[in-house]
Structure formats: C-alpha cells, structure tokens
Amino acid sequence: MDNKNSYEFELERIKKLIKERGAIRVGLQLPDGLKTRSTDIALEISKDTGVEVIISGNSCYGACDVDKQLEKVVDLLFHFGHTDIFSFKKRKTVVKEKIVFIELRSGVDIKPAVEKAVVQIEGEAVGLTATVQHVHTLKEAKILLARYGKKAVIGKSRLKYDGQVLGCDFSAAMVPCDEILFIGSGGFHPAGLALYTGKRVIAADPFNKQICVYEAEEERKKRYIAIARALDAKSFGIIVGMKSGQFNLNEAISLRRKAIEKGLNAYLIAMDEIREDKLLGFDVDAFVNTACPRLAEDFVHFVKPVISAMEFEVVLGERRWEDIFNLSSFWWLAE
Amino acid sequence: MDNKNSYEFELERIKKLIKERGAIRVGLQLPDGLKTRSTDIALEISKDTGVEVIISGNSCYGACDVDKQLEKVVDLLFHFGHTDIFSFKKRKTVVKEKIVFIELRSGVDIKPAVEKAVVQIEGEAVGLTATVQHVHTLKEAKILLARYGKKAVIGKSRLKYDGQVLGCDFSAAMVPCDEILFIGSGGFHPAGLALYTGKRVIAADPFNKQICVYEAEEERKKRYIAIARALDAKSFGIIVGMKSGQFNLNEAISLRRKAIEKGLNAYLIAMDEIREDKLLGFDVDAFVNTACPRLAEDFVHFVKPVISAMEFEVVLGERRWEDIFNLSSFWWLAE
C-alpha cells in the first residue's frame, strides 16, 4: 500500500487486532471507489493471519452505513473511510467492539492544490475544512495560506477532529470567515458546505489538483426549485431509510400525520439503498426523504420531486424557506 | 380490486387479521411490478383499521426475499405474490406468525392462452405447470387440452400445490411427458423448466395471451458458454447472498477452499441485492453466485462471467458438465 499517493489502509494494525482478538472471520467494508482494493487487502490479511475474510459488496456511504448483516456473521468488521461518530444515535445499538473504523488517511501532498486554490480566494479570512482523509494537513494549509496573506481559521467541530466535515455536519465551518476552503475529493461535501453556511466554497482536490467553486445561491436555488415542484403534489411517499444510522421512523410517522392533517395523501416507504429505479414503481406525486438529509440533492433530475424532511415542512407551511439552511448539522448529531 | 383481470389481494382477510391480532403497525411487501398498487392497498387498510402501514421499497423476488429489516419494526408483514415454503431452511429463523403470505391468485381466464398454446404442442403427453397465481386453473387446462387430444399430467410438487413451480423448484415437472406447458408470466420459470427438465417448454401468458417456446438445448448452451468463459479465470469472487432465504455462507467457504486448493484466488463477497454495477468494482476475473441459483442466468451479457455454485464445480473439475441439470430442485428445498 503506497501511502504517498493513496491512503493508509493500516494493514499492520488490522492484522495485530485480528491476532489480539483471536478473530476467525472478519469483514471488510469499503466505499465503492475503493472496492477494487478490497481483494488485495483480503489476500494479505488472510495470508498473514489465517483469518477467513468476507468483503461487503453493499454500499458504504458513511459511518451511518455500517453493513449490519455482515456484522452479524463476523468477529470483527473493518469499516474503511470514515470516523466513528460517537454521538450518532443509532450507533448505540451496534456492538462497538466489533466495528473498527479505518480512517484512510492520505499521504498525498496538498501543497499544489492549495496553492492553485489561493487564486480563487477573494476575501481575507478563510474557514479551513477537510474530510477525515486530509484533516491532518489543515495546519500545513494554514501556514501556506498565511504566506499568501490569507488568514485561515480551523473551526472546532462536533466530530473527531477540528476542521473535519461530514456530508451532514458542517459545525467546523461555523467560524467568522469570508469564504471556505475545502480539501478533499468529490462535490458532496463542498456543495453541502455552500448550502448550509451560505458562503462561497473553494474545493481543492489534492489528488487531481482540480479546483471547483461552489456558490451558496446556486446550490440553494436547486433546492428551492425542488420545493416549488413539490408544492403541487397531492400524494407523498415518505421514505424511511433502513441503513444503520439513517433510520428515523418516528420523524417519518410524524411527517405523514402532518401531511394527512393538511388533506394530502402520504405513505411510508421503507428502503435500504434509495435509488431512482426503486422509486419509479410507486404511484405518488413526490417523495420526502427522512434518511440521509443530503440524499434529496442526488435526485434533482429525477422525474418526480424528492425533498428533505425540512423542505417538506416548507411545503406544509410549517417552516419558512429561508430557515432551512440555518444549521450546521442535523438532528442525529445534535442529541 | 378487480379479481377478474388482476390478482386477489385478499384485503378483507388482511383487515380481519389486523383486527384479530391487534396490530398497530403493519408492513406490505410486493414484487416490483405490483408496487404501483401498494399505495392504494395501504390507503384502504389504514382507513378501515387505523393501522400504520409501512410499504417495503426493497426488492421482493420470492419467499426467499422477506424484508427482514421491515419485519423487525412491524407487528405483521404481508408478503404478496409468493407461497410460504415450509421446507425452506432459512425460513426457520423467521418468526412465522409475523409474516403472512398473500398468494395473489389471479381470476384471469386462461382459456384463450391455452388454446393458442395447443398449436405449439408437438407431442401427446404434456406436463402441466404454473406459478401460484394460476395453479388453481390447471384442472381446467387439463380438460381443455383433452378436447384437443392431448394427455396432460399435473405433477406432485414439494411445494404447496400440485403443478406449482418456483424459479428454484421444478419437482412438479418431473412427470412422464413429451413437453411442458407453463401457465404464467415472464421468462424466469419457463427458461428454468427447459434448463432443468431438458424438455421443450411452451409458456402461455394468460394476461397478454403471448406464447413463447423455450428449447432446453438453447438454454443449456448459454450456461455452457458462461462456464467456458470462467475456465480461464484465475481469481473468483464468491458471492454470499444476504437475503433471508439465500444465505449459504458454509457453501461459499467450502467453494473458496476448493478453489484455493486448485491454485486459484478466491474471495468471499457478501451482498444483499446482487446487481451488475455492484460487481464491477471488484478486481476479480469471474464470479460464483451462491445466492439464488438461477441468478447467474441474468448475467449472460455481463463483462465478466457469473456462474452458479454447481457450474463452478465443473470449472474446478469436480463435476461433469452434463450432470449439472439433472435435478428438480436445489439444496435448500431438499432437506
């Protein structure tokens, strides 16, 4: 495993843990993009420890998406790419000792991407954020930015590390600043940062050195359009997520009752992985998603509107449009 | 619900059961093609009994595919379209009283389809088979065929009804006959009948009155091609199905060990719903499926060969090619 341009898979720690615990059967859960590495990891682990390895072929979108079925049949489950979220309500039901989170720290040099990003920064003060893979580089980024006359702030977060963000927790970005610099890959985190902080976000990908800018108003406009489309709906499917950390049946039941009171039809629909083709079969006008609060954003091009629980409260006339983005994290992290 | 051209959803029985059991929350699980009806059913049930209804948005391919997660949070789970299979090994783990199977008998007239099928029947003796939706019409079909000089046999099956077939149980077709007439929709059952009986199968769909003919050799040729493609593979992903009645970890472990002994690389991959896009991420040459034994047939156009457990034994040199189709049903029904 090459740490410099890849991730730290911590295979020595994994093998040590397997031996210490006397595990006979272990599970591996990796995000889709890294599943290609799973067979090499399985081979090395089983050769060196004699353990039977089962790789999860299911999705792995976050610490909210632990493979519970696999967990039942293994002695240890190594979940790659995410940090344990201790305040996660549903995590309480999980036998903690069985699940080991491997954070996949990256050794990639952030300097080229950060220096490229500087040109895009318009203000003086910058909020610094990153996924767990790059969060250890934020101090280096702060020093780099200072050289260019930018004052960088690494915010405290509710998560494991300062400056760390999740798709559903941006508490680290709630600092006095003009813009936000995000270090990491993909659009999921920076789009959410723009949406929920209302600030301009510069995303710097240290792997491909690409810089992308996310404007808060553009991100919010997409959500306003989705809400507007849902205003005409007479029947709603209220999606209940069945993944380990996305299950919120009480909220779904409560939303359904509110909808019925307003004269709308509403149905509870329980799903594990929420995909467009699965929704197509249902005879409703729109969907409300109570699972991952960010999931609705993936459905902007879907034939029927899909909105979040809070956006549905706007449709029901119980919340103001402008109030839905005034939070740094969602209910399950709040406790 | 119109029984004549649709299915019998047994809503009166469902409502009676809800009241008798004092259920507060019930689940509905319907095959994908009937999910469009689920909201109407939910509406009627909740209006008449006051119960909270949760519809499953997950797959529902058979009695082997009970939504276990949904089952946990409801008092009763109504599973539509399949019969309870009492000899199903995994069904033992299910709290039986919670799951109610609604067979979805159809009231559609089979006469036009059967009369259209007669022209295609070449021999004298015909084995009569159907899915549970039409199995009650087989006696009528037998009388109809007699008028055309055809001797029809309705075979005993290991399942609930004589003449009934599943995708993984063709015991009802193991009768002395020249050809087999199948009454039902879709290609899954007739293709399997041809594959495992070695006989010509005439499929008559009573809904659209379409007649399709399945030749055993054509079906078998597809499987031989898949096996031949897998012969060159050096690494195999052994898929472990995590659905309620498709879990067979012991077989997967045993196949993996045999593969390792032959100098091949093999990895256990656990999955709930087995889809092509989920397999694409894994760095192996071919896959062996230990979940639904018929599933491999859905992957004939996939970039990598996907074969069944028995077909893998041919690849390993432990079974003869010609022996894999000599059975009427698969291990879990054998007991």
Side-chain angles (χ1 to χ4, degrees):
Chain A
M1 299 296 151
D2 175 18
N3 181 26
K4 219 174 151 194
N5 287 306
S6 170
Y7 299 106
E8 178 51 75
F9 287 88
E10 300 188 57
L11 295 192
E12 293 312 314
R13 182 180 150 224
I14 289 171
K15 288 187 266 183
K16 196 164 162 264
L17 263 169
I18 289 170
K19 285 173 190 164
E20 275 173 14
R21 302 273 185 101
I24 289 164
R25 202 183 280 163
V26 305
L28 304 181
Q29 206 189 352
L30 290 100
D32 279 353
L34 288 172
K35 281 193 168 63
T36 178
R37 306 290 295 267
S38 61
T39 43
D40 281 347
I41 299 170
L43 191 65
E44 179 170 340
I45 293 174
S46 63
K47 268 196 180 158
D48 290 359
T49 67
V51 86
E52 189 87 63
V53 182
I54 308 176
I55 304 162
S56 171
N58 294 325
S59 64
C60 176
Y61 295 125
C64 56
D65 192 6
V66 168
D67 192 329
K68 292 184 292 183
Q69 307 251 75
L70 181 55
E71 190 200 347
K72 279 186 209 153
V73 298
V74 293
D75 304 312
L76 278 171
L77 175 59
F78 296 99
H79 181 108
F80 291 80
H82 309 113
T83 43
D84 192 356
I85 311 169
F86 295 102
S87 59
F88 225 96
K89 280 190 180 174
K90 284 298 131 188
R91 295 280 305 116
K92 282 179 190 164
T93 60
V94 168
V95 185
K96 202 169 281 170
E97 292 71 28
K98 245 194 186 184
I99 302 174
V100 180
F101 288 84
I102 307 293
E103 298 180 348
L104 293 182
R105 295 287 180 105
S106 173
V108 71
D109 185 8
I110 58 149
K111 203 180 160 197
V114 171
E115 288 186 330
K116 211 171 156 189
V118 170
V119 193
Q120 298 292 335
I121 300 173
E122 293 169 356
E124 293 294 302
V126 187
L128 269 182
T129 60
T131 55
V132 68
Q133 280 73 49
H134 307 285
V135 80
H136 58 284
T137 69
L138 290 183
K139 279 184 190 162
E140 183 195 341
K142 190 176 173 172
I143 295 166
L144 263 169
L145 289 169
R147 282 194 209 149
Y148 292 90
K150 303 290 180 189
K151 189 186 173 297
V153 193
I154 302 169
K156 296 255 167 238
S157 93
R158 288 190 234 229
L159 306 171
K160 199 165 173 184
Y161 304 105
D162 289 345
Q164 185 191 352
V165 289
L166 293 183
C168 58
D169 188 290
F170 306 111
S171 49
M174 299 303 156
V175 290
C177 64
D178 305 309
E179 277 146 305
I180 289 159
L181 177 64
F182 165 79
I183 299 174
S185 302
F188 188 61
H189 297 88
L193 277 163
L195 205 49
Y196 288 98
T197 63
K199 288 179 180 158
R200 193 166 168 267
V201 177
I202 294 107
D205 185 330
F207 290 113
N208 64 16
K209 288 138 195 119
Q210 283 290 316
I211 310 300
C212 289
V213 177
Y214 294 80
E215 300 285 353
E217 268 322 297
E218 277 174 31
E219 298 304 320
R220 291 186 175 181
K221 205 182 282 172
K222 292 178 202 164
R223 301 315 309 151
Y224 292 143
I225 292 169
I227 298 170
R229 286 177 68 204
L231 283 171
D232 294 328
K234 297 277 170 279
S235 60
F236 288 86
I238 319 267
I239 302 168
V240 183
M242 300 305 272
K243 288 187 182 294
S244 57
Q246 300 188 2
F247 180 70
N248 193 357
L249 182 57
N250 290 340
E251 185 186 29
I253 288 175
S254 151
L255 288 176
R256 180 176 172 266
R257 289 190 183 155
K258 284 181 192 173
I260 304 283
E261 279 166 25
K262 304 269 177 189
L264 299 164
N265 278 327
Y267 307 93
L268 300 176
I269 300 172
M271 301 177 90
D272 191 283
E273 194 160 354
I274 300 157
R275 300 200 321 264
E276 288 190 358
D277 61 312
K278 296 257 166 202
L279 299 183
L280 278 170
F282 290 101
D283 187 20
V284 292
D285 301 327
F287 293 92
V288 179
N289 166 42
T290 68
C292 166
R294 300 285 313 285
L295 194 85
E297 295 166 44
D298 286 345
F299 288 81
V300 280
H301 300 295
F302 186 49
V303 283
K304 292 176 185 179
V306 181
I307 56 176
S308 72
M310 277 194 302
E311 291 165 352
F312 188 47
E313 289 175 347
V314 176
V315 170
L316 294 176
E318 301 199 342
R319 200 185 270 270
R320 296 190 314 158
W321 293 58
E322 47 274 52
D323 288 347
I324 46 177
F325 301 117
N326 288 339
L327 78 173
S328 62
S329 73
F330 297 90
W331 61 269
W332 49 85
L333 291 163
E335 272 189 42
Chain B
M1 301 294 155
D2 174 18
N3 181 27
K4 220 175 151 194
N5 287 305
S6 169
Y7 299 107
E8 177 51 74
F9 287 88
E10 301 187 56
L11 294 192
E12 292 313 315
R13 181 180 151 224
I14 289 170
K15 288 186 266 182
K16 196 164 162 263
L17 263 168
I18 289 169
K19 285 173 190 166
E20 275 173 15
R21 303 272 185 99
I24 289 163
R25 201 183 280 165
V26 305
L28 304 181
Q29 206 190 351
L30 290 100
D32 279 353
L34 288 171
K35 280 194 169 65
T36 178
R37 306 291 295 268
S38 62
T39 42
D40 281 347
I41 300 171
L43 191 64
E44 180 170 338
I45 293 174
S46 62
K47 268 197 178 157
D48 290 1
T49 67
V51 85
E52 190 87 63
V53 181
I54 307 176
I55 304 162
S56 171
N58 295 325
S59 65
C60 177
Y61 295 125
C64 55
D65 192 5
V66 168
D67 193 328
K68 293 184 292 183
Q69 307 250 75
L70 181 55
E71 189 200 346
K72 279 185 209 154
V73 298
V74 295
D75 304 312
L76 277 171
L77 175 59
F78 297 99
H79 181 107
F80 291 80
H82 309 112
T83 44
D84 192 357
I85 311 168
F86 296 102
S87 59
F88 226 95
K89 281 190 181 175
K90 285 298 133 187
R91 295 280 304 115
K92 282 178 190 163
T93 60
V94 169
V95 185
K96 203 168 280 170
E97 292 70 29
K98 246 194 185 184
I99 302 174
V100 181
F101 288 85
I102 307 294
E103 298 181 348
L104 293 183
R105 295 289 180 104
S106 172
V108 71
D109 186 8
I110 59 148
K111 203 179 161 197
V114 172
E115 288 187 329
K116 212 171 155 190
V118 170
V119 194
Q120 298 292 336
I121 300 173
E122 293 169 355
E124 292 295 301
V126 187
L128 268 182
T129 60
T131 55
V132 69
Q133 280 73 48
H134 308 286
V135 79
H136 58 283
T137 68
L138 290 184
K139 279 183 189 163
E140 183 195 340
K142 190 176 172 172
I143 296 165
L144 263 170
L145 289 170
R147 281 193 211 151
Y148 291 90
K150 303 288 179 189
K151 189 185 171 297
V153 193
I154 302 169
K156 295 257 167 238
S157 93
R158 289 190 233 228
L159 306 171
K160 199 164 172 185
Y161 304 105
D162 289 344
Q164 185 191 354
V165 288
L166 293 184
C168 57
D169 188 289
F170 307 112
S171 50
M174 299 304 157
V175 290
C177 65
D178 306 309
E179 277 145 305
I180 289 160
L181 177 63
F182 165 78
I183 299 174
S185 302
F188 187 61
H189 297 89
L193 277 163
L195 205 50
Y196 288 97
T197 64
K199 288 180 179 158
R200 194 165 167 269
V201 176
I202 295 107
D205 185 329
F207 290 113
N208 64 16
K209 287 137 194 121
Q210 283 289 316
I211 310 300
C212 290
V213 177
Y214 295 80
E215 301 285 352
E217 267 324 295
E218 278 175 31
E219 297 304 320
R220 292 186 174 182
K221 206 183 281 171
K222 291 178 204 164
R223 300 317 307 151
Y224 292 144
I225 292 169
I227 298 170
R229 286 178 68 204
L231 284 171
D232 295 328
K234 297 277 171 277
S235 61
F236 287 86
I238 318 267
I239 302 168
V240 183
M242 300 304 273
K243 288 187 181 295
S244 58
Q246 299 188 2
F247 179 70
N248 192 357
L249 182 57
N250 289 340
E251 186 184 30
I253 288 175
S254 151
L255 289 175
R256 180 175 172 266
R257 288 189 184 157
K258 284 181 192 173
I260 303 283
E261 279 167 24
K262 304 269 176 187
L264 299 164
N265 278 327
Y267 307 93
L268 300 176
I269 300 172
M271 301 178 89
D272 191 284
E273 194 159 354
I274 300 157
R275 298 199 323 264
E276 289 190 357
D277 61 313
K278 296 257 166 202
L279 299 182
L280 278 170
F282 291 101
D283 187 20
V284 292
D285 302 327
F287 293 92
V288 179
N289 165 42
T290 68
C292 166
R294 300 285 313 286
L295 194 86
E297 296 166 42
D298 286 345
F299 288 80
V300 280
H301 300 296
F302 186 49
V303 284
K304 292 176 185 178
V306 181
I307 56 176
S308 72
M310 276 195 301
E311 290 164 352
F312 188 48
E313 289 175 348
V314 176
V315 170
L316 295 176
E318 300 200 341
R319 201 186 270 269
R320 297 189 316 159
W321 293 58
E322 46 277 51
D323 288 347
I324 46 176
F325 301 118
N326 288 339
L327 78 172
S328 62
S329 75
F330 297 89
W331 61 268
W332 49 84
L333 290 163
E335 271 187 41

